[in-house]
Amino acid sequence: MDELDGVEIVAFANAAAFESWLAGHHTRQEGVWIKMAKKKSGIPSCRCSRR
């Protein structure tokens, strides 16, 4: 498990994986860092959609 300043860093394959994780961890006080891969890296990751 990676951490930054005592806060867990987690990579999610997609938004559904993040939502599933969040359902079980929504009461965490310290928060979480979300590790995101670059778009063309080939690594499954959550995406930031801009509209």
Side-chain angles (χ1 to χ4, degrees), residues 1 3-5 10-11 15-16 18 24 31-32 42 45-46:
M1 173 178 71
E3 289 188 0
L4 178 64
D5 296 330
V10 184
F18 172 60
V32 65
S45 181
C46 289

Side-chain angles (χ1 to χ4, degrees), residues 7-8 18-32:
V7 179
E8 185 178 8
F18 172 60
E19 290 173 4
S20 176
W21 179 90
L22 191 59
H25 296 86
H26 65 276
T27 60
R28 290 173 56 129
Q29 296 294 317
E30 66 277 7
V32 65

Side-chain angles (χ1 to χ4, degrees), residues 22-50:
L22 191 59
H25 296 86
H26 65 276
T27 60
R28 290 173 56 129
Q29 296 294 317
E30 66 277 7
V32 65
W33 286 101
I34 298 175
K35 186 174 185 177
M36 299 176 76
K38 290 186 177 183
K39 187 175 184 177
K40 295 184 180 187
S41 69
I43 300 170
S45 181
C46 289
R47 295 187 186 170
C48 178
S49 60
R50 297 184 184 194

